[in-house]
Each structure stands twice: as C-alpha cells, then as structure tokens.
Amino acid sequence: MKYPLILALFIGLLQYPAFAKPENGISGGLELGMAREQVFRKFGKPELHEQGDLYYTFVKAELIICFNDTTSLVESIIVIGTDPRFSVGGIKVGDVKKKVIGKYGEPEKALKYSKGKVECFFYPSKNVNFAFEGGSVTSFGVSNRSGY
C-alpha cells in the first residue's frame, strides 16, 4: 500500500523542527525555497490540495509539495513515484537500502512499521528521509521545516 508509506514519511519530516545541513532539493528541478508560482509553472496546477494552500499533490508527477503558510515557499518535497528524473543524493525510488546507507550512513533514527512492513530511515542532520518496503526505497523526502 502506497499511502501508509507516504504517511510514515510525511510524519517523519514533521518530527524534526530544524536541520543542520539540508539537502537543497531533489533532482528534476525542485528545490527547497522555490516560490509556489515557480512550482506551478514547472508542474502545472496540482490535482489535489489539502489544509488550505499548504499541501499540494501532483498526481501525474507523483509528488507531494508542502509550502510555508507565510512565505508560500517550498519547505518539504516528498517523492512517491518512480519517475527517474527525481532523486536525492543520487538515490531514487527502487534503489536498495544498501545504497542509501552507502550514501548517508546508518540512519540517525529508524522506525519499522510491522503492519505495513514499512521501514523508515531518518537523517535529520541532512534533512532527508527514506521509506522502504522489501528492502527498496518506496518514497523519500527533503524538508527545511523550522519553527514548527
């Protein structure tokens, strides 16, 4: 099930209020701090949005993008699909856990959700999180959330 993975990763992004050395974004032309209008020009209007104007889902691109409610700038990006143009630190959906550990080291925090057989690795100092199922990356995200 894709949605428990997304929820686990999203909750993980929200757990860490500040990050030391964040990834700037993901490959595919998305960066933290981009203006909402830039994102809309690049990906079109989102198919879904939740909680007012804060969370947008681009179904075709398989992205969830969260904007700061004051500045309207991107503060979190979650990749939920297998589009090969999206990666973080060279890691993309489908890559194996060993590749993530090779790039980022052992997780700073790890959670295993037994019902969904989902495992999440959190790297708050690097501002990146990964969700795995069956040993492969199923989604990942970056965030620069601060002050929440």
Side-chain angles (χ1 to χ4, degrees), residues 30 35-49 54-67 74 76-81 85-86:
L30 273 173
R36 185 181 322 201
E37 295 75 29
Q38 288 177 289
V39 173
F40 289 176
R41 278 195 301 273
K42 186 162 189 74
F43 293 99
K45 293 280 183 180
E47 289 88 355
L48 303 168
H49 65 274
L54 297 180
Y55 309 109
Y56 290 91
T57 302
F58 295 83
V59 176
K60 291 176 189 167
E62 298 181 298
L63 297 168
I64 298 173
I65 301 174
C66 306
F67 295 91
V74 173
S76 298
I77 305 164
I78 303 171
V79 175
I80 57 174
R85 66 186 159 154
F86 299 124

PDB file of all heavy atoms in Angstrom, residues 30 35-49 54-67 74 76-81 85-86:
ATOM      1  N   LEU A  30      13.368  20.610  -8.648  1.00  0.00           N
ATOM      2  CA  LEU A  30      12.668  21.083  -7.453  1.00  0.00           C
ATOM      3  C   LEU A  30      13.674  21.420  -6.372  1.00  0.00           C
ATOM      4  O   LEU A  30      14.579  20.628  -6.108  1.00  0.00           O
ATOM      5  CB  LEU A  30      11.739  19.998  -6.913  1.00  0.00           C
ATOM      6  CG  LEU A  30      10.347  19.951  -7.493  1.00  0.00           C
ATOM      7  CD1 LEU A  30       9.623  18.720  -6.988  1.00  0.00           C
ATOM      8  CD2 LEU A  30       9.574  21.194  -7.145  1.00  0.00           C
ATOM      9  N   ALA A  35       9.453  29.364  -5.008  1.00  0.00           N
ATOM     10  CA  ALA A  35       8.146  30.007  -4.879  1.00  0.00           C
ATOM     11  C   ALA A  35       7.062  29.098  -5.452  1.00  0.00           C
ATOM     12  O   ALA A  35       7.299  28.346  -6.405  1.00  0.00           O
ATOM     13  CB  ALA A  35       8.142  31.348  -5.601  1.00  0.00           C
ATOM     14  N   ARG A  36       5.891  29.172  -4.875  1.00  0.00           N
ATOM     15  CA  ARG A  36       4.748  28.379  -5.325  1.00  0.00           C
ATOM     16  C   ARG A  36       4.508  28.565  -6.825  1.00  0.00           C
ATOM     17  O   ARG A  36       4.249  27.614  -7.549  1.00  0.00           O
ATOM     18  CB  ARG A  36       3.512  28.780  -4.527  1.00  0.00           C
ATOM     19  CG  ARG A  36       2.303  27.945  -4.836  1.00  0.00           C
ATOM     20  CD  ARG A  36       1.110  28.382  -4.045  1.00  0.00           C
ATOM     21  NE  ARG A  36       1.518  28.757  -2.707  1.00  0.00           N
ATOM     22  CZ  ARG A  36       0.723  28.805  -1.665  1.00  0.00           C
ATOM     23  NH1 ARG A  36      -0.538  28.532  -1.782  1.00  0.00           N
ATOM     24  NH2 ARG A  36       1.166  29.151  -0.482  1.00  0.00           N
ATOM     25  N   GLU A  37       4.611  29.812  -7.295  1.00  0.00           N
ATOM     26  CA  GLU A  37       4.360  30.101  -8.704  1.00  0.00           C
ATOM     27  C   GLU A  37       5.365  29.392  -9.613  1.00  0.00           C
ATOM     28  O   GLU A  37       5.018  28.931 -10.691  1.00  0.00           O
ATOM     29  CB  GLU A  37       4.394  31.620  -8.961  1.00  0.00           C
ATOM     30  CG  GLU A  37       3.289  32.396  -8.265  1.00  0.00           C
ATOM     31  CD  GLU A  37       3.521  32.562  -6.754  1.00  0.00           C
ATOM     32  OE1 GLU A  37       4.704  32.585  -6.295  1.00  0.00           O
ATOM     33  OE2 GLU A  37       2.527  32.649  -6.019  1.00  0.00           O
ATOM     34  N   GLN A  38       6.630  29.300  -9.164  1.00  0.00           N
ATOM     35  CA  GLN A  38       7.641  28.578  -9.936  1.00  0.00           C
ATOM     36  C   GLN A  38       7.270  27.108 -10.065  1.00  0.00           C
ATOM     37  O   GLN A  38       7.415  26.516 -11.122  1.00  0.00           O
ATOM     38  CB  GLN A  38       9.007  28.673  -9.258  1.00  0.00           C
ATOM     39  CG  GLN A  38       9.679  30.010  -9.334  1.00  0.00           C
ATOM     40  CD  GLN A  38      10.989  29.962  -8.564  1.00  0.00           C
ATOM     41  OE1 GLN A  38      10.997  29.904  -7.338  1.00  0.00           O
ATOM     42  NE2 GLN A  38      12.102  29.963  -9.285  1.00  0.00           N
ATOM     43  N   VAL A  39       6.824  26.519  -8.966  1.00  0.00           N
ATOM     44  CA  VAL A  39       6.441  25.110  -8.967  1.00  0.00           C
ATOM     45  C   VAL A  39       5.257  24.896  -9.912  1.00  0.00           C
ATOM     46  O   VAL A  39       5.254  23.962 -10.715  1.00  0.00           O
ATOM     47  CB  VAL A  39       6.096  24.626  -7.539  1.00  0.00           C
ATOM     48  CG1 VAL A  39       5.540  23.202  -7.569  1.00  0.00           C
ATOM     49  CG2 VAL A  39       7.318  24.710  -6.639  1.00  0.00           C
ATOM     50  N   PHE A  40       4.265  25.780  -9.855  1.00  0.00           N
ATOM     51  CA  PHE A  40       3.090  25.650 -10.717  1.00  0.00           C
ATOM     52  C   PHE A  40       3.468  25.799 -12.188  1.00  0.00           C
ATOM     53  O   PHE A  40       2.933  25.108 -13.049  1.00  0.00           O
ATOM     54  CB  PHE A  40       2.023  26.667 -10.338  1.00  0.00           C
ATOM     55  CG  PHE A  40       1.327  26.376  -9.027  1.00  0.00           C
ATOM     56  CD1 PHE A  40       0.395  27.259  -8.530  1.00  0.00           C
ATOM     57  CD2 PHE A  40       1.594  25.239  -8.298  1.00  0.00           C
ATOM     58  CE1 PHE A  40      -0.260  27.007  -7.338  1.00  0.00           C
ATOM     59  CE2 PHE A  40       0.954  24.973  -7.098  1.00  0.00           C
ATOM     60  CZ  PHE A  40       0.025  25.860  -6.611  1.00  0.00           C
ATOM     61  N   ARG A  41       4.406  26.709 -12.494  1.00  0.00           N
ATOM     62  CA  ARG A  41       4.840  26.863 -13.888  1.00  0.00           C
ATOM     63  C   ARG A  41       5.533  25.592 -14.373  1.00  0.00           C
ATOM     64  O   ARG A  41       5.371  25.189 -15.522  1.00  0.00           O
ATOM     65  CB  ARG A  41       5.781  28.057 -14.036  1.00  0.00           C
ATOM     66  CG  ARG A  41       5.065  29.388 -14.150  1.00  0.00           C
ATOM     67  CD  ARG A  41       5.978  30.501 -14.646  1.00  0.00           C
ATOM     68  NE  ARG A  41       7.136  30.740 -13.799  1.00  0.00           N
ATOM     69  CZ  ARG A  41       7.149  31.564 -12.743  1.00  0.00           C
ATOM     70  NH1 ARG A  41       6.048  32.218 -12.404  1.00  0.00           N
ATOM     71  NH2 ARG A  41       8.245  31.724 -12.046  1.00  0.00           N
ATOM     72  N   LYS A  42       6.300  24.977 -13.505  1.00  0.00           N
ATOM     73  CA  LYS A  42       7.059  23.787 -13.896  1.00  0.00           C
ATOM     74  C   LYS A  42       6.180  22.536 -14.004  1.00  0.00           C
ATOM     75  O   LYS A  42       6.339  21.746 -14.921  1.00  0.00           O
ATOM     76  CB  LYS A  42       8.189  23.537 -12.894  1.00  0.00           C
ATOM     77  CG  LYS A  42       9.100  22.407 -13.301  1.00  0.00           C
ATOM     78  CD  LYS A  42      10.399  22.487 -12.548  1.00  0.00           C
ATOM     79  CE  LYS A  42      11.405  21.528 -13.052  1.00  0.00           C
ATOM     80  NZ  LYS A  42      12.015  21.860 -14.308  1.00  0.00           N
ATOM     81  N   PHE A  43       5.245  22.363 -13.059  1.00  0.00           N
ATOM     82  CA  PHE A  43       4.469  21.123 -12.998  1.00  0.00           C
ATOM     83  C   PHE A  43       2.983  21.304 -13.288  1.00  0.00           C
ATOM     84  O   PHE A  43       2.229  20.337 -13.255  1.00  0.00           O
ATOM     85  CB  PHE A  43       4.639  20.465 -11.616  1.00  0.00           C
ATOM     86  CG  PHE A  43       6.029  19.977 -11.381  1.00  0.00           C
ATOM     87  CD1 PHE A  43       6.920  20.737 -10.639  1.00  0.00           C
ATOM     88  CD2 PHE A  43       6.474  18.791 -11.925  1.00  0.00           C
ATOM     89  CE1 PHE A  43       8.216  20.313 -10.427  1.00  0.00           C
ATOM     90  CE2 PHE A  43       7.768  18.356 -11.726  1.00  0.00           C
ATOM     91  CZ  PHE A  43       8.646  19.119 -10.977  1.00  0.00           C
ATOM     92  N   GLY A  44       2.547  22.532 -13.512  1.00  0.00           N
ATOM     93  CA  GLY A  44       1.128  22.784 -13.723  1.00  0.00           C
ATOM     94  C   GLY A  44       0.409  22.887 -12.386  1.00  0.00           C
ATOM     95  O   GLY A  44       1.021  22.840 -11.321  1.00  0.00           O
ATOM     96  N   LYS A  45      -0.891  23.041 -12.474  1.00  0.00           N
ATOM     97  CA  LYS A  45      -1.696  23.135 -11.247  1.00  0.00           C
ATOM     98  C   LYS A  45      -1.768  21.759 -10.596  1.00  0.00           C
ATOM     99  O   LYS A  45      -1.875  20.739 -11.273  1.00  0.00           O
ATOM    100  CB  LYS A  45      -3.113  23.617 -11.568  1.00  0.00           C
ATOM    101  CG  LYS A  45      -3.169  25.037 -12.069  1.00  0.00           C
ATOM    102  CD  LYS A  45      -3.077  25.991 -10.933  1.00  0.00           C
ATOM    103  CE  LYS A  45      -3.210  27.417 -11.443  1.00  0.00           C
ATOM    104  NZ  LYS A  45      -3.145  28.401 -10.434  1.00  0.00           N
ATOM    105  N   PRO A  46      -1.735  21.720  -9.269  1.00  0.00           N
ATOM    106  CA  PRO A  46      -1.823  20.422  -8.577  1.00  0.00           C
ATOM    107  C   PRO A  46      -3.217  19.832  -8.711  1.00  0.00           C
ATOM    108  O   PRO A  46      -4.204  20.555  -8.835  1.00  0.00           O
ATOM    109  CB  PRO A  46      -1.527  20.789  -7.127  1.00  0.00           C
ATOM    110  CG  PRO A  46      -1.914  22.220  -7.023  1.00  0.00           C
ATOM    111  CD  PRO A  46      -1.632  22.835  -8.351  1.00  0.00           C
ATOM    112  N   GLU A  47      -3.270  18.509  -8.703  1.00  0.00           N
ATOM    113  CA  GLU A  47      -4.563  17.833  -8.789  1.00  0.00           C
ATOM    114  C   GLU A  47      -5.297  17.864  -7.457  1.00  0.00           C
ATOM    115  O   GLU A  47      -6.516  17.827  -7.424  1.00  0.00           O
ATOM    116  CB  GLU A  47      -4.374  16.378  -9.253  1.00  0.00           C
ATOM    117  CG  GLU A  47      -3.963  16.247 -10.706  1.00  0.00           C
ATOM    118  CD  GLU A  47      -2.450  16.303 -10.923  1.00  0.00           C
ATOM    119  OE1 GLU A  47      -1.677  16.537  -9.975  1.00  0.00           O
ATOM    120  OE2 GLU A  47      -2.040  16.124 -12.069  1.00  0.00           O
ATOM    121  N   LEU A  48      -4.568  17.883  -6.373  1.00  0.00           N
ATOM    122  CA  LEU A  48      -5.162  17.895  -5.034  1.00  0.00           C
ATOM    123  C   LEU A  48      -4.450  18.905  -4.168  1.00  0.00           C
ATOM    124  O   LEU A  48      -3.258  19.131  -4.322  1.00  0.00           O
ATOM    125  CB  LEU A  48      -5.017  16.518  -4.369  1.00  0.00           C
ATOM    126  CG  LEU A  48      -5.602  15.309  -5.080  1.00  0.00           C
ATOM    127  CD1 LEU A  48      -5.106  14.031  -4.409  1.00  0.00           C
ATOM    128  CD2 LEU A  48      -7.102  15.358  -5.042  1.00  0.00           C
ATOM    129  N   HIS A  49      -5.174  19.511  -3.256  1.00  0.00           N
ATOM    130  CA  HIS A  49      -4.516  20.291  -2.213  1.00  0.00           C
ATOM    131  C   HIS A  49      -5.296  20.117  -0.928  1.00  0.00           C
ATOM    132  O   HIS A  49      -6.497  19.912  -0.931  1.00  0.00           O
ATOM    133  CB  HIS A  49      -4.327  21.762  -2.586  1.00  0.00           C
ATOM    134  CG  HIS A  49      -5.587  22.530  -2.749  1.00  0.00           C
ATOM    135  ND1 HIS A  49      -6.281  22.574  -3.929  1.00  0.00           N
ATOM    136  CD2 HIS A  49      -6.275  23.294  -1.881  1.00  0.00           C
ATOM    137  CE1 HIS A  49      -7.353  23.332  -3.790  1.00  0.00           C
ATOM    138  NE2 HIS A  49      -7.375  23.774  -2.548  1.00  0.00           N
ATOM    139  N   LEU A  54      -1.537  24.747   1.924  1.00  0.00           N
ATOM    140  CA  LEU A  54      -0.254  24.279   2.438  1.00  0.00           C
ATOM    141  C   LEU A  54       0.307  23.059   1.728  1.00  0.00           C
ATOM    142  O   LEU A  54       1.487  22.973   1.474  1.00  0.00           O
ATOM    143  CB  LEU A  54      -0.354  23.981   3.932  1.00  0.00           C
ATOM    144  CG  LEU A  54      -0.688  25.170   4.821  1.00  0.00           C
ATOM    145  CD1 LEU A  54      -0.745  24.734   6.275  1.00  0.00           C
ATOM    146  CD2 LEU A  54       0.327  26.268   4.643  1.00  0.00           C
ATOM    147  N   TYR A  55      -0.509  22.063   1.428  1.00  0.00           N
ATOM    148  CA  TYR A  55      -0.029  20.798   0.893  1.00  0.00           C
ATOM    149  C   TYR A  55      -0.638  20.541  -0.473  1.00  0.00           C
ATOM    150  O   TYR A  55      -1.850  20.513  -0.614  1.00  0.00           O
ATOM    151  CB  TYR A  55      -0.373  19.634   1.830  1.00  0.00           C
ATOM    152  CG  TYR A  55       0.054  19.877   3.242  1.00  0.00           C
ATOM    153  CD1 TYR A  55      -0.878  20.115   4.238  1.00  0.00           C
ATOM    154  CD2 TYR A  55       1.400  19.890   3.580  1.00  0.00           C
ATOM    155  CE1 TYR A  55      -0.479  20.357   5.544  1.00  0.00           C
ATOM    156  CE2 TYR A  55       1.799  20.133   4.882  1.00  0.00           C
ATOM    157  CZ  TYR A  55       0.858  20.358   5.858  1.00  0.00           C
ATOM    158  OH  TYR A  55       1.251  20.601   7.148  1.00  0.00           O
ATOM    159  N   TYR A  56       0.202  20.349  -1.467  1.00  0.00           N
ATOM    160  CA  TYR A  56      -0.255  20.091  -2.822  1.00  0.00           C
ATOM    161  C   TYR A  56       0.238  18.733  -3.277  1.00  0.00           C
ATOM    162  O   TYR A  56       1.383  18.358  -3.025  1.00  0.00           O
ATOM    163  CB  TYR A  56       0.299  21.142  -3.786  1.00  0.00           C
ATOM    164  CG  TYR A  56      -0.318  22.499  -3.587  1.00  0.00           C
ATOM    165  CD1 TYR A  56       0.247  23.427  -2.735  1.00  0.00           C
ATOM    166  CD2 TYR A  56      -1.474  22.843  -4.270  1.00  0.00           C
ATOM    167  CE1 TYR A  56      -0.320  24.677  -2.566  1.00  0.00           C
ATOM    168  CE2 TYR A  56      -2.052  24.096  -4.104  1.00  0.00           C
ATOM    169  CZ  TYR A  56      -1.470  25.001  -3.257  1.00  0.00           C
ATOM    170  OH  TYR A  56      -2.032  26.233  -3.096  1.00  0.00           O
ATOM    171  N   THR A  57      -0.610  18.011  -3.980  1.00  0.00           N
ATOM    172  CA  THR A  57      -0.234  16.724  -4.544  1.00  0.00           C
ATOM    173  C   THR A  57      -0.297  16.831  -6.061  1.00  0.00           C
ATOM    174  O   THR A  57      -1.333  17.195  -6.621  1.00  0.00           O
ATOM    175  CB  THR A  57      -1.173  15.601  -4.054  1.00  0.00           C
ATOM    176  OG1 THR A  57      -1.116  15.559  -2.629  1.00  0.00           O
ATOM    177  CG2 THR A  57      -0.753  14.262  -4.622  1.00  0.00           C
ATOM    178  N   PHE A  58       0.814  16.526  -6.690  1.00  0.00           N
ATOM    179  CA  PHE A  58       0.894  16.499  -8.140  1.00  0.00           C
ATOM    180  C   PHE A  58       0.856  15.020  -8.528  1.00  0.00           C
ATOM    181  O   PHE A  58       1.884  14.350  -8.530  1.00  0.00           O
ATOM    182  CB  PHE A  58       2.177  17.176  -8.614  1.00  0.00           C
ATOM    183  CG  PHE A  58       2.202  18.649  -8.293  1.00  0.00           C
ATOM    184  CD1 PHE A  58       2.593  19.095  -7.043  1.00  0.00           C
ATOM    185  CD2 PHE A  58       1.804  19.573  -9.240  1.00  0.00           C
ATOM    186  CE1 PHE A  58       2.601  20.446  -6.739  1.00  0.00           C
ATOM    187  CE2 PHE A  58       1.811  20.931  -8.944  1.00  0.00           C
ATOM    188  CZ  PHE A  58       2.205  21.371  -7.697  1.00  0.00           C
ATOM    189  N   VAL A  59      -0.336  14.525  -8.800  1.00  0.00           N
ATOM    190  CA  VAL A  59      -0.552  13.100  -9.021  1.00  0.00           C
ATOM    191  C   VAL A  59       0.255  12.600 -10.213  1.00  0.00           C
ATOM    192  O   VAL A  59       0.928  11.570 -10.129  1.00  0.00           O
ATOM    193  CB  VAL A  59      -2.060  12.789  -9.191  1.00  0.00           C
ATOM    194  CG1 VAL A  59      -2.283  11.327  -9.509  1.00  0.00           C
ATOM    195  CG2 VAL A  59      -2.823  13.189  -7.940  1.00  0.00           C
ATOM    196  N   LYS A  60       0.211  13.310 -11.319  1.00  0.00           N
ATOM    197  CA  LYS A  60       0.933  12.864 -12.522  1.00  0.00           C
ATOM    198  C   LYS A  60       2.431  12.795 -12.276  1.00  0.00           C
ATOM    199  O   LYS A  60       3.107  11.912 -12.768  1.00  0.00           O
ATOM    200  CB  LYS A  60       0.622  13.794 -13.693  1.00  0.00           C
ATOM    201  CG  LYS A  60      -0.809  13.678 -14.170  1.00  0.00           C
ATOM    202  CD  LYS A  60      -1.097  14.675 -15.263  1.00  0.00           C
ATOM    203  CE  LYS A  60      -2.589  14.668 -15.559  1.00  0.00           C
ATOM    204  NZ  LYS A  60      -2.986  15.807 -16.373  1.00  0.00           N
ATOM    205  N   ALA A  61       2.971  13.737 -11.534  1.00  0.00           N
ATOM    206  CA  ALA A  61       4.404  13.745 -11.233  1.00  0.00           C
ATOM    207  C   ALA A  61       4.732  12.898 -10.011  1.00  0.00           C
ATOM    208  O   ALA A  61       5.900  12.675  -9.710  1.00  0.00           O
ATOM    209  CB  ALA A  61       4.887  15.178 -11.003  1.00  0.00           C
ATOM    210  N   GLU A  62       3.717  12.440  -9.293  1.00  0.00           N
ATOM    211  CA  GLU A  62       3.877  11.634  -8.087  1.00  0.00           C
ATOM    212  C   GLU A  62       4.713  12.355  -7.026  1.00  0.00           C
ATOM    213  O   GLU A  62       5.687  11.831  -6.508  1.00  0.00           O
ATOM    214  CB  GLU A  62       4.452  10.259  -8.422  1.00  0.00           C
ATOM    215  CG  GLU A  62       3.532   9.465  -9.340  1.00  0.00           C
ATOM    216  CD  GLU A  62       4.049   8.092  -9.666  1.00  0.00           C
ATOM    217  OE1 GLU A  62       5.126   7.992 -10.284  1.00  0.00           O
ATOM    218  OE2 GLU A  62       3.375   7.131  -9.314  1.00  0.00           O
ATOM    219  N   LEU A  63       4.287  13.582  -6.734  1.00  0.00           N
ATOM    220  CA  LEU A  63       4.955  14.433  -5.762  1.00  0.00           C
ATOM    221  C   LEU A  63       3.954  14.988  -4.768  1.00  0.00           C
ATOM    222  O   LEU A  63       2.809  15.257  -5.114  1.00  0.00           O
ATOM    223  CB  LEU A  63       5.590  15.651  -6.444  1.00  0.00           C
ATOM    224  CG  LEU A  63       6.688  15.428  -7.443  1.00  0.00           C
ATOM    225  CD1 LEU A  63       6.963  16.720  -8.203  1.00  0.00           C
ATOM    226  CD2 LEU A  63       7.948  14.963  -6.730  1.00  0.00           C
ATOM    227  N   ILE A  64       4.424  15.195  -3.543  1.00  0.00           N
ATOM    228  CA  ILE A  64       3.690  15.988  -2.563  1.00  0.00           C
ATOM    229  C   ILE A  64       4.625  17.130  -2.187  1.00  0.00           C
ATOM    230  O   ILE A  64       5.781  16.899  -1.824  1.00  0.00           O
ATOM    231  CB  ILE A  64       3.318  15.178  -1.309  1.00  0.00           C
ATOM    232  CG1 ILE A  64       2.389  14.026  -1.685  1.00  0.00           C
ATOM    233  CG2 ILE A  64       2.667  16.080  -0.258  1.00  0.00           C
ATOM    234  CD1 ILE A  64       2.109  13.068  -0.547  1.00  0.00           C
ATOM    235  N   ILE A  65       4.137  18.348  -2.317  1.00  0.00           N
ATOM    236  CA  ILE A  65       4.951  19.521  -2.020  1.00  0.00           C
ATOM    237  C   ILE A  65       4.239  20.340  -0.963  1.00  0.00           C
ATOM    238  O   ILE A  65       3.063  20.655  -1.097  1.00  0.00           O
ATOM    239  CB  ILE A  65       5.198  20.359  -3.290  1.00  0.00           C
ATOM    240  CG1 ILE A  65       5.904  19.500  -4.340  1.00  0.00           C
ATOM    241  CG2 ILE A  65       6.017  21.600  -2.955  1.00  0.00           C
ATOM    242  CD1 ILE A  65       6.065  20.162  -5.673  1.00  0.00           C
ATOM    243  N   CYS A  66       4.954  20.677   0.086  1.00  0.00           N
ATOM    244  CA  CYS A  66       4.402  21.472   1.186  1.00  0.00           C
ATOM    245  C   CYS A  66       5.034  22.862   1.142  1.00  0.00           C
ATOM    246  O   CYS A  66       6.243  22.989   1.020  1.00  0.00           O
ATOM    247  CB  CYS A  66       4.709  20.824   2.530  1.00  0.00           C
ATOM    248  SG  CYS A  66       4.167  19.110   2.642  1.00  0.00           S
ATOM    249  N   PHE A  67       4.172  23.855   1.258  1.00  0.00           N
ATOM    250  CA  PHE A  67       4.623  25.246   1.226  1.00  0.00           C
ATOM    251  C   PHE A  67       4.491  25.858   2.611  1.00  0.00           C
ATOM    252  O   PHE A  67       3.588  25.530   3.362  1.00  0.00           O
ATOM    253  CB  PHE A  67       3.779  26.058   0.243  1.00  0.00           C
ATOM    254  CG  PHE A  67       3.927  25.629  -1.179  1.00  0.00           C
ATOM    255  CD1 PHE A  67       3.086  24.674  -1.728  1.00  0.00           C
ATOM    256  CD2 PHE A  67       4.924  26.170  -1.977  1.00  0.00           C
ATOM    257  CE1 PHE A  67       3.224  24.267  -3.042  1.00  0.00           C
ATOM    258  CE2 PHE A  67       5.076  25.767  -3.293  1.00  0.00           C
ATOM    259  CZ  PHE A  67       4.227  24.822  -3.831  1.00  0.00           C
ATOM    260  N   VAL A  74       8.505  26.576  -0.949  1.00  0.00           N
ATOM    261  CA  VAL A  74       8.579  25.127  -0.717  1.00  0.00           C
ATOM    262  C   VAL A  74       9.398  24.859   0.535  1.00  0.00           C
ATOM    263  O   VAL A  74      10.526  25.328   0.662  1.00  0.00           O
ATOM    264  CB  VAL A  74       9.215  24.412  -1.920  1.00  0.00           C
ATOM    265  CG1 VAL A  74       9.441  22.932  -1.607  1.00  0.00           C
ATOM    266  CG2 VAL A  74       8.365  24.571  -3.165  1.00  0.00           C
ATOM    267  N   SER A  76       8.926  21.402   2.036  1.00  0.00           N
ATOM    268  CA  SER A  76       9.067  19.946   2.044  1.00  0.00           C
ATOM    269  C   SER A  76       8.690  19.404   0.680  1.00  0.00           C
ATOM    270  O   SER A  76       7.752  19.887   0.043  1.00  0.00           O
ATOM    271  CB  SER A  76       8.149  19.301   3.087  1.00  0.00           C
ATOM    272  OG  SER A  76       8.474  19.720   4.385  1.00  0.00           O
ATOM    273  N   ILE A  77       9.430  18.385   0.246  1.00  0.00           N
ATOM    274  CA  ILE A  77       9.155  17.697  -1.015  1.00  0.00           C
ATOM    275  C   ILE A  77       9.167  16.205  -0.725  1.00  0.00           C
ATOM    276  O   ILE A  77      10.129  15.696  -0.139  1.00  0.00           O
ATOM    277  CB  ILE A  77      10.235  17.997  -2.076  1.00  0.00           C
ATOM    278  CG1 ILE A  77      10.393  19.508  -2.294  1.00  0.00           C
ATOM    279  CG2 ILE A  77       9.924  17.264  -3.381  1.00  0.00           C
ATOM    280  CD1 ILE A  77      11.670  19.885  -3.030  1.00  0.00           C
ATOM    281  N   ILE A  78       8.120  15.517  -1.134  1.00  0.00           N
ATOM    282  CA  ILE A  78       8.050  14.065  -0.964  1.00  0.00           C
ATOM    283  C   ILE A  78       7.817  13.439  -2.332  1.00  0.00           C
ATOM    284  O   ILE A  78       6.878  13.808  -3.038  1.00  0.00           O
ATOM    285  CB  ILE A  78       6.929  13.661   0.005  1.00  0.00           C
ATOM    286  CG1 ILE A  78       7.127  14.338   1.357  1.00  0.00           C
ATOM    287  CG2 ILE A  78       6.879  12.130   0.156  1.00  0.00           C
ATOM    288  CD1 ILE A  78       5.962  14.180   2.300  1.00  0.00           C
ATOM    289  N   VAL A  79       8.677  12.507  -2.712  1.00  0.00           N
ATOM    290  CA  VAL A  79       8.551  11.786  -3.976  1.00  0.00           C
ATOM    291  C   VAL A  79       7.933  10.436  -3.680  1.00  0.00           C
ATOM    292  O   VAL A  79       8.441   9.683  -2.849  1.00  0.00           O
ATOM    293  CB  VAL A  79       9.926  11.617  -4.660  1.00  0.00           C
ATOM    294  CG1 VAL A  79       9.813  10.776  -5.910  1.00  0.00           C
ATOM    295  CG2 VAL A  79      10.521  12.984  -4.983  1.00  0.00           C
ATOM    296  N   ILE A  80       6.828  10.148  -4.346  1.00  0.00           N
ATOM    297  CA  ILE A  80       6.095   8.908  -4.088  1.00  0.00           C
ATOM    298  C   ILE A  80       6.018   8.005  -5.311  1.00  0.00           C
ATOM    299  O   ILE A  80       5.351   6.983  -5.279  1.00  0.00           O
ATOM    300  CB  ILE A  80       4.670   9.217  -3.577  1.00  0.00           C
ATOM    301  CG1 ILE A  80       3.922  10.091  -4.569  1.00  0.00           C
ATOM    302  CG2 ILE A  80       4.728   9.865  -2.209  1.00  0.00           C
ATOM    303  CD1 ILE A  80       2.467  10.344  -4.222  1.00  0.00           C
ATOM    304  N   GLY A  81       6.694   8.387  -6.376  1.00  0.00           N
ATOM    305  CA  GLY A  81       6.607   7.609  -7.608  1.00  0.00           C
ATOM    306  C   GLY A  81       7.965   7.207  -8.135  1.00  0.00           C
ATOM    307  O   GLY A  81       8.993   7.467  -7.522  1.00  0.00           O
ATOM    308  N   ARG A  85      13.531  11.000 -13.136  1.00  0.00           N
ATOM    309  CA  ARG A  85      14.174  12.319 -13.029  1.00  0.00           C
ATOM    310  C   ARG A  85      14.262  12.796 -11.583  1.00  0.00           C
ATOM    311  O   ARG A  85      14.981  13.738 -11.293  1.00  0.00           O
ATOM    312  CB  ARG A  85      13.456  13.351 -13.895  1.00  0.00           C
ATOM    313  CG  ARG A  85      12.073  13.671 -13.460  1.00  0.00           C
ATOM    314  CD  ARG A  85      11.354  14.584 -14.428  1.00  0.00           C
ATOM    315  NE  ARG A  85       9.935  14.429 -14.189  1.00  0.00           N
ATOM    316  CZ  ARG A  85       9.040  15.328 -14.444  1.00  0.00           C
ATOM    317  NH1 ARG A  85       9.391  16.464 -14.995  1.00  0.00           N
ATOM    318  NH2 ARG A  85       7.780  15.101 -14.188  1.00  0.00           N
ATOM    319  N   PHE A  86      13.542  12.146 -10.655  1.00  0.00           N
ATOM    320  CA  PHE A  86      13.566  12.576  -9.258  1.00  0.00           C
ATOM    321  C   PHE A  86      14.474  11.687  -8.425  1.00  0.00           C
ATOM    322  O   PHE A  86      14.290  10.476  -8.354  1.00  0.00           O
ATOM    323  CB  PHE A  86      12.156  12.560  -8.662  1.00  0.00           C
ATOM    324  CG  PHE A  86      11.202  13.481  -9.369  1.00  0.00           C
ATOM    325  CD1 PHE A  86      10.026  12.997  -9.897  1.00  0.00           C
ATOM    326  CD2 PHE A  86      11.486  14.832  -9.503  1.00  0.00           C
ATOM    327  CE1 PHE A  86       9.141  13.841 -10.547  1.00  0.00           C
ATOM    328  CE2 PHE A  86      10.609  15.681 -10.152  1.00  0.00           C
ATOM    329  CZ  PHE A  86       9.436  15.193 -10.678  1.00  0.00           C
TER     330      PHE A  86
END
